[in-house]
Amino acid sequence: MPASTRVFVSATSGDLGSVRQLVKEALLSMDCHPVEQTNFPPDYRTVEEVLKEKIAGCQAVLHIVGMRYGAEPDPAKLPVGIPRRSFTQMEYDLAGQLNKKLYVFLCPGDFPYDECELEPPEKQQLQKAHRATIFVDPHLRTEVATREHVGAKVRELQLELQQLRQQVRRSTHKVLIGIAALVVVLCGIGYGVARLTGLVGGVTEQVADVRAGVVDIRQAVEEVPKKTVEEIKKLYEDPDVLTGKLKSHIRQRADEQIAELRKDSSNWRKIDEIEKRRDQQLDGVEQLVATIRDGLAGNPDPIFTEAARILAEQGVDEAIAYLQAKQPAIESRVKATKTRRDEAQSDFHQSLEPWLLEADLHETNLAWNEAMRLYERVAAEAPDWSRARRQLGGLLNDLALYPEAEPHLQAALQLASDDRERSVAANSLGVFYVNTAQWEQAESLLKQSLELSEKLHGSDNPATATVLNNLAQLLKDTNRLAEAEPLMRRALAIDEQSYGDEHPPVARHFNNLAQLLQDTNRLAEAEPLMRRGLEIEEKSRGVDHPFVAIQLNNLAQSLQDMNRLVEAEPLMRRALAIDEQSYGATHPRVAIDLSNLAELLRFTNRLAEAEPLMRRALATYEQTFGAEHSLVAVQLNNLAALLQATNRLAEAEPMYRRVLAIDEQLYGADHPKVAIRLNNLASLLQATNRLVEAEPLMRRALAIDEQSYGAEHPTVAIELNNLALLLKATNRPAEAEPLMRRALAIDEQSYGAEHP
């Protein structure tokens, strides 16, 4: 290495003095000559001239940037129009003006700086502005997390210098072409991943001519308007503007695909699928914009930042095209940051943000497979990143791939690094546990998520409403209706205030509250809420959306409970048709529809029609959830009841016993669902004249429901009456009569003396 290779070392002394000394020693070990300026004359112009002279005599400038502004010329003596700059900032600017090879070592906030006094706020702001400039400047830069990392990067510089020197020896002409091509490429990628490339000293006048030409090229490239991170953040300050553009893009893309498919009438299934995905993506646009805004916080990846700018200013397709063109740069950054993941994990995660953004955009473009591929890749690259595991698990959960989803959602919670991540991850895993009937785990997680959400967002935020609603659903599913209702009403009030009373989240709240009212026998209050929810969903999503199917099913069941079966049946059949078209014939949503319709057919004594629907639903549940799931128990119970009604008691009994075992395991021995199973099995035993076996089951069911609902509940009256009939059949009228009288008193109190 020629001893004439001179490198100017630029860094503030107060916080980076020891680092500057480390760099100087490393350069000397490489036979380079470090140059620095530590004492500055008082006059501004004199300072600039001194620095310019020193930097002009160097082949490169190594600029180490921390959080400290440092010393500066007297601001009062600056010429008019000259901005305030510290001496180190001036050195950075002069390196660019003199076309010197410039390398930037960027130190984060948690770098082990030398101890020094805190600077005043105005100086801190000036240094923040300088750091922002670094990110949009095309000069090469690298981020360093520790002093050891600085030394490693200097050693990388030595290897590249040696390689470049060998190229110079082989052919001056090739060097000239190589330098020109390298700088053009670097200018083309803007502020891509920094990689130290080399220093060349003592080159001929021809090199100077080529360098001058390259400078012209670089200046031409730099004339293309660029925005700072702060300017790009401003594009997202009004999310409604970008939300509208994205929704318009989704509709346009779907319309284009549909128009092409309509050329062939046999494509109607594909058209329905596109419409379903379009509506799902329209619902997710607000979350996409919020995710991008989060990604722009702090120190975002430059490619992610540029993609966010392109998305806001040009559109989805342009942003995807940009990200795909940057795949080599992204790959390079991911590989480079992997080696120092423990030192700079946040930086590594930010290098993956472009892939997550592309996955989100693919979902916006209704391309689920592409999104899944990228989520899986990010999770594979960063298995210890909570967000990556949660987003992958969330998509798997949405697609009803529950066994695959669970480990990712569990990992997301374990890996959460702050309260925000913990709140979101706990809610996601809690909902998963609700779906899979793991009640205790679900409740603990949802309460944890609610506490964190209220702490982070406040008690009246939509994020809090989401957790409230999920917790209320759990309480409802575990028959704690009095606890669930105020949570549901609070969630409804928050979202009505946040979105207005025509928004889909409000429709879901109407539906959930109506179901609770239905469960507490307030059917007259429930029906208008259900119809209102159905109206909102049809208006906002279209008449064939899966969420509309949910509303149809719920309304139909309410009508069935009021014995309005003729009104209920067409609603159930319409819901089944929507879900079969949306999800396919073996999806759990379709199984729910089949089960509901089969029950209605059973109630109207159309048992031959009902049985194949029940068996099909049971097969889907067992395949999807496993043999011990709550939905499997429900379907087994319904099928057993049908078999009992058709006098196939030997087939029905093992099903009833299996149902009882599942629910005792899921809910505990004293749960109201267990009481129902006990009564059903007792009824079958009575039908086979095994009254001695039936009686203890009935008494156990009665005790459970008295404890759960209170001694005056209508359900208790039914059980009292059934037990009295059994006692009468076993010739114990003296025991039976007080039970019958008590049942009568409860029903008169509940329904009135004239009720059938």
Side-chain angles (χ1 to χ4, degrees):
M1 178 93 41
S4 60
T5 302
R6 297 165 62 84
V7 181
F8 189 92
V9 181
S10 169
T12 51
S13 299
D15 57 342
L16 291 169
S18 62
V19 175
R20 184 162 64 182
Q21 184 61 33
L22 182 154
V23 171
K24 287 165 57 181
E25 292 171 358
L27 289 171
L28 287 169
S29 71
M30 297 160 53
D31 292 329
C32 292
H33 179 64
V35 179
E36 62 180 332
Q37 178 71 28
T38 55
N39 297 313
F40 297 93
D43 180 71
Y44 170 80
R45 296 189 185 278
T46 304
V47 171
E48 187 173 31
E49 291 170 0
V50 170
L51 290 175
K52 184 179 291 186
E53 181 179 352
K54 285 199 172 187
I55 292 172
C58 297
Q59 283 72 50
V61 174
L62 204 160
H63 184 57
I64 309 170
V65 187
M67 308 303 293
R68 190 171 182 81
Y69 179 71
E72 66 175 336
D74 185 354
K77 296 181 180 179
L78 290 176
V80 177
I82 299 298
R84 286 179 67 179
R85 293 182 298 175
S86 68
F87 296 129
T88 53
Q89 292 178 6
M90 190 182 299
E91 291 161 357
Y92 175 87
D93 293 340
L94 286 170
Q97 293 171 19
L98 295 169
N99 301 319
K100 296 298 178 181
K101 188 69 69 174
L102 176 59
Y103 302 99
V104 178
F105 284 3
L106 191 64
C107 305
D110 58 354
F111 186 86
Y113 295 106
D114 300 340
E115 291 188 7
C116 57
E117 294 182 359
L118 186 67
E119 291 186 311
E122 67 272 13
K123 284 193 173 185
Q124 294 179 34
Q125 290 301 318
L126 288 168
Q127 184 64 3
K128 285 183 180 179
H130 178 58
R131 289 174 66 89
T133 301
I134 296 294
F135 276 98
V136 296
D137 195 294
H139 292 302
L140 300 177
R141 64 177 172 84
T142 189
E143 298 173 38
V144 289
T146 65
R147 288 182 170 83
E148 292 75 16
H149 194 198
V150 174
K153 287 301 177 182
V154 173
R155 286 189 290 275
E156 287 181 19
L157 176 61
Q158 179 184 22
L159 293 174
E160 296 199 9
L161 285 170
Q162 291 171 346
Q163 293 171 0
L164 189 54
R165 183 178 66 175
Q166 292 170 359
Q167 294 173 5
V168 172
R169 287 177 176 175
R170 283 195 298 267
S171 171
T172 300
H173 180 65
K174 290 181 179 179
V175 170
L176 300 179
I177 295 173
I179 293 173
L182 177 61
V183 177
V184 170
V185 170
L186 290 174
C187 291
I189 66 171
Y191 41 77
V193 179
R195 188 176 69 87
L196 300 178
T197 57
L199 305 172
V200 180
V203 188
T204 64
E205 292 180 359
Q206 288 179 312
V207 176
D209 293 338
V210 173
R211 185 177 293 160
V214 171
V215 170
D216 292 340
I217 295 171
R218 185 174 68 183
Q219 289 173 345
V221 173
E222 290 179 348
E223 287 175 3
V224 178
K226 291 185 174 67
K227 284 185 165 61
T228 66
V229 175
E230 293 304 318
E231 288 173 327
I232 294 171
K233 287 179 182 178
K234 289 180 180 178
L235 297 175
Y236 288 82
E237 285 182 353
D238 185 356
D240 291 339
V241 175
L242 183 55
T243 295
K245 290 171 64 176
L246 288 173
K247 288 185 176 180
S248 176
H249 171 86
I250 293 168
R251 293 188 184 99
Q252 180 180 351
R253 178 55 55 86
D255 290 345
E256 290 170 356
Q257 295 177 4
I258 290 169
E260 184 65 26
L261 289 170
R262 279 182 175 155
K263 295 177 182 178
D264 184 350
S265 60
S266 65
N267 286 328
W268 62 272
R269 291 182 184 275
K270 294 181 180 178
I271 292 172
D272 287 347
E273 179 66 18
I274 289 171
E275 291 175 340
K276 174 180 73 89
R277 291 185 174 182
R278 174 198 63 200
D279 295 339
Q280 290 172 334
Q281 284 309 300
L282 289 173
D283 286 344
V285 165
E286 287 85 356
Q287 182 58 49
L288 169 61
V289 175
T291 299
I292 296 172
R293 293 178 70 186
D294 289 346
L296 290 170
N299 182 20
D301 179 86
I303 298 176
F304 178 89
T305 305
E306 179 66 3
R309 181 193 69 78
I310 293 171
L311 175 63
E313 296 183 342
Q314 300 177 36
V316 171
D317 292 332
E318 291 80 359
I320 289 178
Y322 169 79
L323 288 165
Q324 290 176 339
K326 291 296 180 185
Q327 289 304 308
I330 299 170
E331 297 247 9
S332 175
R333 182 159 175 76
V334 170
K335 289 178 182 177
T337 53
K338 255 186 173 181
T339 61
R340 55 187 178 92
R341 183 183 303 175
D342 292 341
E343 297 176 333
Q345 190 177 58
S346 176
D347 180 64
F348 175 64
H349 291 168
Q350 286 175 343
S351 74
L352 296 168
E353 288 279 4
W355 278 337
L356 289 180
L357 175 58
E358 186 181 349
D360 287 337
L361 294 177
H362 278 307
E363 289 197 64
T364 299
N365 253 2
L366 317 179
W368 301 105
N369 290 337
E370 290 85 347
M372 179 67 76
R373 174 180 57 81
L374 286 166
Y375 284 139
E376 288 175 339
R377 182 166 188 183
V378 172
E381 293 287 355
D384 296 333
W385 189 14
S386 174
R387 179 182 165 197
R389 302 295 291 276
R390 175 174 53 80
Q391 288 196 236
L392 175 57
L395 182 56
L396 290 166
N397 192 32
D398 291 343
L399 297 175
L401 301 172
Y402 299 113
E404 295 91 335
E406 184 173 10
H408 292 293
L409 293 172
Q410 289 176 333
L413 180 59
Q414 293 169 358
L415 296 167
S417 60
D418 56 32
D419 283 350
R420 182 179 178 280
E421 281 191 350
R422 271 185 285 275
S423 176
V424 177
N427 180 68
S428 297
L429 184 57
V431 170
F432 173 84
Y433 283 141
V434 170
N435 293 339
T436 53
Q438 300 178 67
W439 307 114
E440 290 185 10
Q441 299 97 313
E443 183 172 353
S444 174
L445 288 166
L446 291 174
K447 286 182 175 179
Q448 176 186 346
S449 178
L450 178 61
E451 180 180 355
L452 291 171
S453 182
E454 290 179 323
K455 173 184 172 183
L456 292 165
H457 306 297
S459 58
D460 297 324
N461 187 278
T464 300
T466 298
V467 185
L468 279 168
N469 187 66
N470 292 336
L471 179 57
Q473 284 297 107
L474 179 146
L475 294 171
K476 176 179 173 294
D477 289 345
T478 54
N479 203 45
R480 294 148 67 185
L481 306 182
E483 296 177 62
E485 184 171 348
L487 300 187
M488 286 187 179
R489 292 190 181 277
R490 181 180 159 198
L492 172 61
I494 291 171
D495 279 350
E496 281 186 314
Q497 178 66 30
S498 300
Y499 300 117
D501 59 4
E502 298 291 332
H503 201 275
V506 176
R508 289 193 288 273
H509 290 313
F510 279 138
N511 176 67
N512 294 336
L513 180 57
Q515 285 186 300
L516 184 143
L517 294 171
Q518 183 178 337
D519 289 346
T520 54
N521 205 35
R522 290 177 280 173
L523 304 182
E525 295 179 61
E527 183 180 351
L529 293 180
M530 288 185 174
R531 293 192 180 278
R532 181 73 179 112
L534 175 61
E535 177 186 355
I536 293 171
E537 294 286 17
E538 287 182 323
K539 182 178 178 181
S540 61
R541 303 179 194 276
V543 295
D544 294 324
H545 194 281
F547 285 176
V548 171
I550 294 172
Q551 298 283 354
L552 288 166
N553 252 323
N554 293 334
L555 177 57
Q557 287 187 305
S558 180
L559 294 171
Q560 181 176 333
D561 288 345
M562 292 185 284
N563 205 35
R564 294 156 63 182
L565 304 181
V566 175
E567 297 177 63
E569 184 173 344
L571 301 183
M572 288 186 178
R573 292 191 181 277
R574 182 182 158 199
L576 174 61
I578 292 172
D579 283 341
E580 283 184 320
Q581 181 60 44
S582 300
Y583 300 116
T586 59
H587 193 278
R589 283 297 324 165
V590 174
I592 292 172
D593 299 334
L594 289 167
S595 179
N596 292 339
L597 179 58
E599 279 299 283
L600 183 142
L601 294 172
R602 184 165 71 91
F603 290 151
T604 55
N605 205 34
R606 289 179 281 172
L607 305 184
E609 294 180 62
E611 184 174 347
L613 302 185
M614 288 184 178
R615 292 189 181 277
R616 183 179 154 197
L618 176 61
T620 297
Y621 286 144
E622 289 181 321
Q623 178 64 32
T624 304
F625 302 111
E628 307 302 319
H629 193 273
S630 61
L631 290 174
V632 172
V634 171
Q635 199 55 43
L636 278 169
N637 185 77
N638 293 344
L639 181 56
L642 183 145
L643 293 171
Q644 183 177 350
T646 54
N647 205 34
R648 288 179 280 173
L649 305 182
E651 294 180 62
E653 183 176 345
M655 290 187 180
Y656 277 137
R657 292 192 181 278
R658 183 180 162 197
V659 169
L660 176 60
I662 292 172
D663 281 353
E664 284 181 323
Q665 178 65 33
L666 288 174
Y667 305 111
D670 296 325
H671 194 278
K673 285 184 182 290
V674 172
I676 294 172
R677 308 315 183 203
L678 289 165
N679 275 320
N680 291 340
L681 179 57
S683 172
L684 182 140
L685 294 172
Q686 280 184 288
T688 56
N689 203 35
R690 293 149 68 187
L691 304 184
V692 175
E693 295 178 60
E695 183 178 346
L697 301 183
M698 287 185 172
R699 291 189 180 277
R700 182 181 159 199
L702 175 61
I704 291 172
D705 283 341
E706 285 181 320
Q707 178 65 33
S708 300
Y709 300 122
E712 308 302 321
H713 195 276
T715 298
V716 172
I718 294 171
E719 292 172 347
L720 286 166
N721 191 67
N722 290 339
L723 179 57
L725 291 174
L726 183 145
L727 294 171
K728 186 177 178 182
T730 55
N731 201 30
R732 290 181 284 172
E735 295 179 59
E737 183 177 351
L739 300 184
M740 288 183 174
R741 291 187 181 280
R742 184 180 159 200
L744 175 61
I746 293 172
D747 283 346
E748 286 181 328
Q749 178 65 31
S750 301
Y751 304 115
E754 304 300 322
H755 193 276

